[in-house]
Amino acid sequence: MHDTQLKELAGRTVLVTGGAGLIGSRITSHLRQIGARPIALCTLDAYPRHTYRDLFGVDASHPGVIIGDVQDTALVKKSPTPTT
C-alpha cells in the first residue's frame, strides 16, 4: 500500500491478524502512527511472552491486543474497539 492509501485508514479500526508478532507488531505500530485504531489478534505462542513485551513492544494486557486464534470466528466477531 502507498502512504496515501494507508492514511485513508486514519480513524478506522483495523484488525491485524498476527498483530503481536515480528511483522504484525510493526504494522500495528505504523497504523497507530497514522491515526488508525489497530486490534492485534495473535495466539502469542510463537515466542516466549517476554519476547512480545521486550522485543516487539506488545503489552498483552492492552485492550487492543486479543489473545486468540483467527479461526475462532466468535472471537473475531466480538473483537472490541480499542480506546487508545
Side-chain angles (χ1 to χ4, degrees), residues 39-55:
I39 297 175
L41 174 62
C42 193
T43 58
L44 296 180
D45 63 358
Y47 306 97
R49 285 288 173 114
H50 67 86
T51 300
Y52 292 100
R53 181 189 64 242
D54 300 340
L55 196 60

Side-chain angles (χ1 to χ4, degrees), residues 11-58:
R12 295 181 180 222
T13 301
V14 180
L15 180 64
V16 182
T17 59
L22 176 64
I23 297 169
S25 63
R26 280 138 180 92
I27 292 170
T28 300
S29 175
H30 189 69
L31 286 167
R32 275 194 201 100
Q33 289 175 4
I34 63 166
R37 295 180 306 268
I39 297 175
L41 174 62
C42 193
T43 58
L44 296 180
D45 63 358
Y47 306 97
R49 285 288 173 114
H50 67 86
T51 300
Y52 292 100
R53 181 189 64 242
D54 300 340
L55 196 60
F56 303 151
V58 174

Side-chain angles (χ1 to χ4, degrees), residues 38-81:
I39 297 175
L41 174 62
C42 193
T43 58
L44 296 180
D45 63 358
Y47 306 97
R49 285 288 173 114
H50 67 86
T51 300
Y52 292 100
R53 181 189 64 242
D54 300 340
L55 196 60
F56 303 151
V58 174
D59 176 4
S61 66
H62 187 277
V65 176
I66 299 172
I67 301 171
D69 194 309
V70 70
Q71 295 177 2
D72 182 348
T73 55
L75 179 65
V76 173
K77 286 180 182 179
K78 70 176 186 176
S79 298
T81 301

